[in-house]
Amino acid sequence: MVPRDPAQPHRPASTLELFFDLVFVVAVSIASAQLHHALSHGDFVHGITSYAMVFFAVWWAWMNFTWFATSFDTDDWLYRVTTIVQMGGVLVLAAGIPAAFEHGDFRVPVIGYIVMRVAMIAQWLRASRGAGELRSAARRYAIGIAVVQVLWIIFLIVPSGPPQIVAFVICALLEISVPVFAEYRMQTPWHPHHITERYGLFTLIVLGESLLASANAIIDASHELESFVPLISISALTLAVTASLWWIYFWAPHHRAITTFASSLRYGYTHYIVFAAAAAFSAGIEVELDVLTGVSHLSNIQASFTVTVPIAIFLLGIWWVAIRENADRVVNTVVPLGAVVVLLDAALPIPVAVTALVLIAIVVVLVLHSPVERRS
């Protein structure tokens, strides 16, 4: 297991990586469903806080594997087996999301992380044997991951409520500090096209969740409404919004955004917000349908914010991390301004329709303005 060539031509995502992503379809779906139920019942603070915590666990599990794979993927039998073990850990994590979300009980997610971490530490130790001058970095990864995992076990004794939130934030900050600790002297190689393709594939997962969630919600709601017109309208608008978000995300040449270690950290960590917002959008669509069928007693404005806030966050996040430095003045004005307008749409009588029009307008601007060369 030696470091991969970061300049290797034609480095697409492997079938093993695509297979690995399937377990995150399950995890993201469960996290989004829990957020939907919390928001639909008006439990905004607890719902958003719990969602941020469980989605961090899901996102970080994916991050750990993805960045290791871009540097040391061998695709031999042992690598495949350890990857499948990590998939099992993700499924355990997913099974524990409801209890973590509703009661602050993170025992099952932590067990899932232990399974993943045993395999991940073994991967880093194996990599250290053939990493040459990167041996120290690989070992620091193994040590850092092991130490933080011990802290997560200790985290289980912290009572739920504010103390648990504070402890979670501390452990999460230590988690995202491990790559800085491991690579402060010498960085492991990453393939810019490969790693950004992997992020793009995860984006498709969270955007696909919006289509799946809206379809399932419409099937359920069809038994409650006499007319299918409102359902068809929301379905069409959801497709238009989701397609626009896809278009906006993939407009920028993402590989230009990770040219240095600092920029790779910014790109990787900002995607937590982007991914979480995209998955939360699906929950917002389901909340809108709950209000339409009388299942939820939220006001129209409250329900609208569950849709517009995630979209605005998604737009600002991807503009900041990928679009901003590859766009001209027009695009750099339209995208953030569009995010603000989307956020204000919640006060309008037909917010989803207006939001769709705003996003389509942004797409039109992007079609007319191609990416520019990155500024120095």
Side-chain angles (χ1 to χ4, degrees):
M1 182 175 280
V2 296
R4 297 289 296 261
D5 180 6
Q8 175 186 344
H10 310 299
R11 173 84 191 277
S14 67
T15 56
L16 178 62
E17 289 174 310
L18 299 178
F19 184 48
F20 179 80
D21 285 352
L22 292 180
V23 294
F24 288 91
V25 175
V26 178
V28 169
S29 179
I30 295 175
S32 178
Q34 294 298 314
L35 177 63
H36 157 228
H37 294 309
L39 295 180
S40 187
H41 289 87
D43 195 0
F44 296 108
V45 175
H46 173 74
I48 295 172
T49 302
S50 298
Y51 175 74
M53 294 166 70
V54 298
F55 198 90
F56 176 88
V58 173
W59 164 76
W60 192 245
W62 182 85
M63 285 275 287
N64 274 229
F65 169 80
T66 298
W67 283 90
F68 178 85
T70 198
S71 300
F72 293 103
D73 179 7
T74 58
D75 200 30
D76 59 8
W77 72 267
L78 183 55
Y79 180 83
R80 290 185 174 191
V81 169
T82 51
T83 298
I84 293 172
V85 170
Q86 291 178 73
M87 292 173 66
V90 176
L91 291 175
V92 174
L93 163 65
I97 287 177
F101 203 103
E102 297 174 10
H103 310 296
D105 182 357
F106 282 85
R107 287 177 295 179
V108 174
V110 168
I111 291 173
Y113 254 75
I114 291 172
V115 174
M116 288 186 285
R117 264 22 195 317
V118 169
M120 194 76 260
I121 291 170
Q123 292 276 52
W124 279 113
L125 291 177
R126 183 189 177 201
S128 70
R129 297 176 59 187
E133 58 185 5
L134 293 173
R135 177 176 299 177
S136 296
R139 290 181 176 176
R140 283 196 294 269
Y141 264 114
I143 294 170
I145 290 171
V147 169
V148 177
Q149 186 56 48
V150 171
L151 295 179
W152 281 118
I153 296 174
I154 297 173
F155 163 80
L156 293 177
I157 67 175
V158 179
S160 60
Q164 187 184 59
I165 295 174
V166 172
F168 189 96
V169 170
I170 292 173
C171 289
L173 290 175
L174 290 174
E175 282 280 8
I176 64 176
S177 298
V178 169
V180 180
F181 161 72
E183 307 205 22
Y184 72 96
R185 289 183 177 175
M186 182 170 294
Q187 287 79 56
T188 54
W190 66 82
H191 194 291
H193 290 277
H194 172 258
I195 198 69
T196 52
E197 180 191 7
R198 297 291 293 121
Y199 275 84
L201 291 170
F202 199 91
T203 300
L204 294 178
I205 289 175
V206 291
L207 290 179
E209 176 61 28
S210 299
L211 299 177
L212 176 62
S214 63
N216 289 335
I218 287 171
I219 292 172
D220 294 336
S222 64
H223 303 293
E224 306 293 333
L225 295 176
E226 296 181 359
S227 173
F228 282 87
V229 174
L231 299 181
I232 295 173
S233 299
I234 290 182
S235 178
L237 292 172
T238 299
L239 176 60
V241 170
T242 306
S244 297
L245 294 178
W246 164 81
W247 202 309
I248 293 167
Y249 181 92
F250 288 100
W251 176 83
H254 285 242
H255 63 279
R256 298 183 190 173
I258 51 173
T259 56
T260 65
F261 179 56
S263 63
S264 70
L265 290 177
R266 184 187 69 174
Y267 183 87
Y269 292 171
T270 301
H271 265 79
Y272 163 67
I273 301 172
V274 174
F275 291 155
F281 165 59
S282 67
I285 291 297
E286 292 188 270
V287 171
E288 286 277 12
L289 288 167
D290 284 349
V291 172
L292 182 65
T293 57
V295 174
S296 174
H297 299 291
L298 294 179
S299 68
N300 290 330
I301 291 181
Q302 287 176 317
S304 298
F305 273 124
T306 66
V307 173
T308 60
V309 170
I311 293 174
I313 292 174
F314 180 96
L315 290 174
L316 290 175
I318 201 59
W319 170 75
W320 172 259
V321 77
I323 294 177
R324 180 173 54 95
E325 294 185 348
N326 295 288
D328 59 22
R329 184 176 301 177
V330 174
V331 172
N332 278 331
T333 300
V334 168
V335 175
L337 180 61
V340 175
V341 173
V342 165
L343 190 60
L344 299 177
D345 287 348
L348 299 176
I350 48 173
V352 179
V354 175
T355 296
L357 291 175
V358 171
L359 293 178
I360 291 172
I362 293 175
V363 169
V364 170
V365 172
L366 296 181
V367 170
L368 298 175
H369 295 259
S370 300
V372 298
E373 288 297 324
R374 183 172 181 171
R375 297 186 295 272
S376 58

